[in-house]
Amino acid sequence: MQADPVRLERSGDIGLILVNHPPVNALSHAVRLGLIEALAAFEADGSLRAAVLACDGRTFIAGADINEFSQAPEQGEPLLHVFLRALDACQKPVVAALHGTALGGGFEVALACHARVIAPDGYVGFPEVRIGLLPGAGGTQRTPRLVGPLVALDLVTSGRHVPADEAMALGLVDEVATDLRRAAVARAGQLAAAGLLPRVADRTIPAFDRAAFEAALALVHRRARGALAPVRAADAVTFALTSPLQDGMAYETALFRELLAGPQSRALRHLFRAERIAARPPHGVAPRPVRRVGVVGGGTMGSGISVALTDAGLDVTLVEVSPTAADAARQRVQAVYDRQLRTGRLSERLHEERTGRVRYESDLRALRDCDLVIEAVIEDLDAKRAVFRALSGIVRRDTVLASNTSYLDVNLLADEVDAPERVLGMHFFSPAHVMRLLEIVRPARALPEALATSLAVARRLRKQAVVAGVCDGFIGNRILAKSRAQAEYALEDGALPADVDAALEAYGMAMGIFAVLDMAGLDVDWADRRRKAAIRDPRQRVVPVFEQICEKGRFGQKTGRGFYLYRDGQRLPDPDVTTLVEAASAARGITRRTVPPEEIQQRVHAAMVNEGANVLSDGIAARPADIDVVLVHGYGYPAWRGGPMHEADEIGLREILHRVEALHDASGLGWEPAPLLVELARTRKTFADLNR
Ligand code: 3HC
């Protein structure tokens, strides 16, 4: 810990209150104290007419110190509010100079200053909802006064980072300046010379469209899907419309404390930490430089991966089997960018730049100069082996070779190449340019440099990386297979696909299991299920409905039928599927019953946790928290529950073990309680104990 995180300097007759508290200048106890003291010193110094509040390092204050949230409340003194009150009472102007990410409490400090200047590449925002909180230092009260309730509602409920030019257009800042410090000093001087002391606190709420606000509120409630923080943040903005600032601040503080003490913020803060630890590269290992990336295969995955790479500024060579197939891949990539151009998400310039950065080829030798090659051909071991074998004779010996396989043994692919220690898996999720999760599959032989390189690429792509070991399905698909099996058993017990999906969506899942299957295409999983069926113990409980649907050529949304019927853009129950499900129950001699939503939720969750424990014992995931990150970012598990393993700790592992035992009783072979779960429950430990 550094001695003096805040200091007062001078630039002529302008004071410079400077924060230097790496890595992100968070408002830790010492920083709050330092700010209060520096402001007092500035006020007391009659030779200083105005001040600039700025930060050293990579960013302006990025918010409260998240690590302090778990401490006892009395350790929080002095509160940030003390500094904000001092700023409000200050009789000389203070200008905030924002660079990097001025977020949360950091932007709240800026809003209490008398003006805000931002660097062109800076961002502002209130990401508190992402950790289950709301802006707790006036953000929900000052923002509607400054820019109106509609913008305020958007910012505090979405948590999005607003770039400098948009912040300027919205009125969140007063100036965008390349020479930030100089511009802020000049503005501070001008305010002092004019005798101006503009304060957001003195403003009243500007006129706004009430109906639009109500509609936006309704949307926030609809989108929350069980998350409390956006709803509370919206409450606080609504409160601001009819209340004086001080009352609003008190209301906001009460809501903030309630959220901070609650399970959702605990869960989201667990994820915040887990995401960063999961993506950490091996200590002291430098990644290899990556400029040009080869992608083999230009289907849905290959083209999505190419878009993700180009979005991140990398050059791509995409290789298909023939010029015609390469052209089809070009059209797929082009279609994504054209849509972005049409919907205004991409400028003409960026459209041209990104589409121009992909080379399309039909000969693997075009990958000679690539630093990394990602294979994304069909999910067939022989096909993938052939690609790796061929690549081995073409690329440099230090080129990292990655497979986008979802299930297959990456070791067998490594066996095909010269220098197998540069081979690993990079398992993207579809659509690859949208989904955040990237499982990095690490074969035992993989070099730390290869791992570091793939993690660095993941970071560049703004993906959430998690390292997994080699097994069938890695972390995510292996756990999904078990939770899906429970969903299918629920069908046989008496539920219909819509009942299962409704239960899971009520739990907070982004989509129900059967709706997801239909969307992805049942044929994708069918091949894998056939492969598994061939090696499965015949005594295991299996529901035949999936296969029966596929045998009719119904592969989900794209064929108009799957677990559901798709008509006029609507997902409807399919009577044929009901017949199949009822027949499956009859064949097993099950009297169909109503399966309550809670039972479905608990069975699916218990299945995830039990398999998660096996995944840990097998060394496929290094930490329980890694499993949480995978399920949240790749499988729609509600983030506010923190992931299945965190949720299991919250419920208690003895209770979870009872639930798993019930699954075992009902479903038999393959559902034995995981030894690790049994051990943790017996010794009254938690999964969190293994995260340390
Ligand atoms: N408190 C404590 N540590 C923080 C932090 C914070 N607010 N924000 C980031 N850090 C730490 C990270 O844990 C990480 O530590 P590590 O190196 O040990 O893993 C380090 O800073 C760097 O963070 P990132 O790896 O995330 O760096 P990036 O450059 O990718 O991102 C960032 C920087 C955009 C600032 C990102 O870290 C971020 O979004 N931070 C959270 C910001 C936030 O949520 N602010 C609101 C806090 S709540 C609040 O302000 C309440 C107020 O309203 C009263």
Side-chain angles (χ1 to χ4, degrees):
M1 178 61 77
Q2 208 195 325
D4 266 328
V6 185
R7 63 191 193 277
L8 177 63
E9 289 183 2
R10 51 193 311 143
S11 167
D13 55 4
I14 306 296
L16 297 175
I17 300 172
L18 298 170
V19 182
N20 181 8
H21 187 53
V24 295
N25 290 314
L27 289 159
S28 315
H29 181 264
V31 174
R32 298 196 297 276
L33 212 59
L35 283 170
I36 291 166
E37 286 171 5
L39 186 68
F42 154 66
E43 284 197 271
D45 187 335
S47 69
L48 294 173
R49 293 189 299 141
V52 165
L53 172 52
C55 294
D56 293 339
R58 67 204 244 203
T59 179
F60 189 76
I61 301 164
D65 185 339
I66 294 172
N67 302 318
E68 287 185 4
F69 285 154
S70 315
Q71 293 175 356
E74 58 276 13
Q75 285 179 272
E77 302 291 343
L79 296 173
L80 182 54
H81 285 79
V82 176
F83 177 58
L84 298 182
R85 276 198 294 274
L87 267 178
D88 273 339
C90 183
Q91 291 306 308
K92 295 189 278 188
V94 181
V95 175
L98 314 176
H99 77 289
T101 42
L103 301 177
F107 191 47
E108 289 173 301
V109 166
L111 288 177
C113 291
H114 301 95
R116 288 150 292 285
V117 183
I118 190 167
D121 55 356
Y123 288 84
V124 301
F126 294 116
E128 285 89 340
V129 283
R130 297 185 186 170
I131 47 170
L133 297 172
L134 47 67
T140 64
Q141 305 301 303
R142 286 183 213 258
T143 316
R145 284 175 165 79
L146 182 64
V147 292
L150 270 157
V151 174
L153 190 68
D154 167 34
L155 296 190
V156 303
T157 59
S158 71
R160 73 187 179 93
H161 296 184
V162 182
D165 50 354
E166 189 191 348
M168 183 69 199
L170 291 173
L172 289 162
V173 298
D174 302 283
E175 184 179 343
V176 182
T178 312
D179 194 345
L180 181 64
R181 287 268 171 99
R182 186 197 289 265
V185 166
R187 187 166 277 263
Q190 285 156 14
L191 287 178
L196 290 174
L197 216 51
R199 295 188 311 179
V200 177
D202 295 336
R203 290 173 173 246
T204 51
I205 305 279
F208 67 100
D209 180 341
R210 173 68 65 172
F213 184 73
E214 295 296 337
L217 271 183
L219 196 63
V220 168
H221 282 254
R222 238 189 358 264
R223 284 192 178 151
R225 284 208 318 269
L228 210 53
V231 174
R232 290 285 180 268
D235 287 349
V237 172
T238 310
F239 192 87
L241 305 183
T242 51
S243 313
L245 185 83
Q246 287 318 318
D247 293 0
M249 298 275 285
Y251 183 68
E252 181 195 74
T253 301
L255 292 182
F256 182 85
R257 289 196 174 143
E258 175 201 315
L259 290 173
L260 186 60
Q264 293 200 3
S265 177
R266 202 159 49 240
L268 286 158
R269 282 183 277 132
H270 153 75
L271 272 181
F272 180 85
R273 222 174 102 76
E275 287 161 0
R276 280 153 185 81
I277 295 176
R280 223 171 250 171
H283 189 66
V285 182
R288 292 179 184 158
V290 172
R291 271 175 290 273
R292 178 162 288 279
V293 183
V295 176
V296 185
T300 310
M301 285 315 291
S303 54
I305 293 169
S306 301
V307 171
L309 293 163
T310 4
D311 281 352
L314 290 158
D315 294 321
V316 175
T317 305
L318 194 162
V319 178
E320 257 296 356
V321 283
S322 66
T324 321
D327 203 49
R330 180 200 303 276
Q331 283 171 28
R332 261 178 230 115
V333 171
Q334 191 79 30
V336 174
Y337 282 125
D338 289 353
R339 201 173 320 119
Q340 292 183 0
L341 181 68
R342 261 199 321 277
T343 53
R345 274 178 294 156
L346 207 62
S347 65
E348 290 270 4
R349 188 182 61 78
L350 281 179
H351 179 268
E352 195 175 322
E353 187 189 311
R354 290 190 187 168
T355 48
R357 214 179 281 133
V358 192
R359 282 200 319 236
Y360 300 87
E361 304 284 350
S362 54
D363 186 336
L364 284 176
R365 281 174 297 188
L367 300 176
R368 207 174 288 118
D369 60 341
C370 287
D371 309 300
L372 163 71
V373 177
I374 303 172
E375 164 278 311
V377 304
I378 53 163
E379 193 71 358
D380 174 88
L381 186 60
D382 289 337
K384 287 184 188 288
R385 271 182 157 156
V387 170
F388 275 77
R389 204 176 312 130
L391 283 173
S392 182
I394 293 169
V395 298
R396 294 192 314 266
R397 261 182 80 86
D398 65 346
T399 298
V400 175
L401 298 176
S403 170
N404 177 51
T405 178
S406 323
Y407 294 97
L408 300 173
D409 186 343
V410 185
N411 283 307
L412 299 178
L413 304 178
D415 286 345
E416 299 293 333
V417 309
D418 223 17
E421 58 281 357
R422 43 76 181 253
V423 173
L424 36 70
M426 287 178 82
H427 177 209
F428 289 80
F429 289 68
S430 184
H433 59 292
V434 176
M435 293 290 286
R436 272 201 69 205
L437 183 66
L438 180 50
E439 271 181 315
I440 306 280
V441 186
R442 180 186 198 177
R445 278 175 290 186
L447 277 179
E449 284 83 357
L451 185 66
T453 305
S454 59
L455 286 166
V457 169
R459 188 171 170 84
R460 179 131 186 220
L461 267 53
R462 294 173 185 248
K463 299 282 180 208
Q464 174 63 56
V466 177
V467 179
V470 179
C471 71
D472 197 327
F474 317 128
I475 298 176
N477 281 343
R478 177 166 159 183
I479 291 175
L480 179 70
K482 284 299 204 181
S483 52
R484 227 180 236 175
Q486 279 302 326
E488 292 179 31
Y489 299 165
L491 296 183
E492 226 174 35
D493 292 341
L496 290 173
D499 301 325
V500 174
D501 284 355
L504 296 178
E505 282 168 26
Y507 186 76
M509 301 287 285
M511 253 176 125
I513 280 180
F514 296 112
V516 170
L517 278 170
D518 272 0
M519 197 176 72
L522 303 191
D523 48 333
V524 176
D525 274 294
W526 196 19
D528 184 56
R529 287 171 73 112
R530 276 185 298 209
R531 180 175 64 82
K532 285 196 178 119
I535 50 174
R536 185 174 43 226
D537 186 319
R539 289 168 301 167
Q540 278 183 11
R541 182 178 176 184
V542 180
V543 182
V545 174
F546 184 106
E547 280 70 19
Q548 290 166 345
I549 294 174
C550 288
E551 280 156 14
K552 291 175 191 283
R554 297 177 183 172
F555 296 139
Q557 226 159 303
K558 62 185 169 192
T559 56
R561 291 182 99 156
F563 278 95
Y564 294 91
L565 185 65
Y566 296 86
R567 195 176 286 152
D568 305 328
Q570 275 191 301
R571 186 188 304 129
L572 304 166
D574 187 334
D576 279 8
V577 173
T578 306
T579 307
L580 291 177
V581 166
E582 286 170 354
S585 309
R588 193 174 287 275
I590 293 173
T591 309
R592 291 179 65 75
R593 65 181 168 94
T594 304
V595 189
E598 302 74 38
E599 183 187 324
I600 294 171
Q601 294 161 354
Q602 289 183 6
R603 282 166 64 171
V604 167
H605 175 248
M608 285 181 178
V609 177
N610 198 48
E611 193 60 11
N614 286 327
V615 157
L616 285 164
S617 305
D618 292 351
I620 301 304
R623 313 164 69 246
D626 290 355
I627 297 174
D628 289 335
V629 175
V630 167
L631 269 293
V632 167
H633 289 292
Y635 297 84
Y637 198 92
W640 55 267
R641 290 186 186 271
M645 309 310 271
H646 175 87
E647 177 89 344
D649 278 351
E650 291 272 317
I651 293 167
L653 296 190
R654 292 185 151 224
E655 169 61 23
I656 297 292
L657 179 57
H658 289 317
R659 294 179 189 177
V660 173
E661 284 165 347
L663 298 187
H664 188 209
D665 291 344
S667 310
L669 192 70
W671 292 95
E672 297 75 15
L676 177 63
L677 176 62
V678 174
E679 179 61 13
L680 290 175
R682 189 184 66 76
T683 53
R684 295 185 180 274
K685 289 204 172 131
T686 61
F687 285 115
D689 291 327
L690 307 178
N691 283 330
R692 302 208 165 98

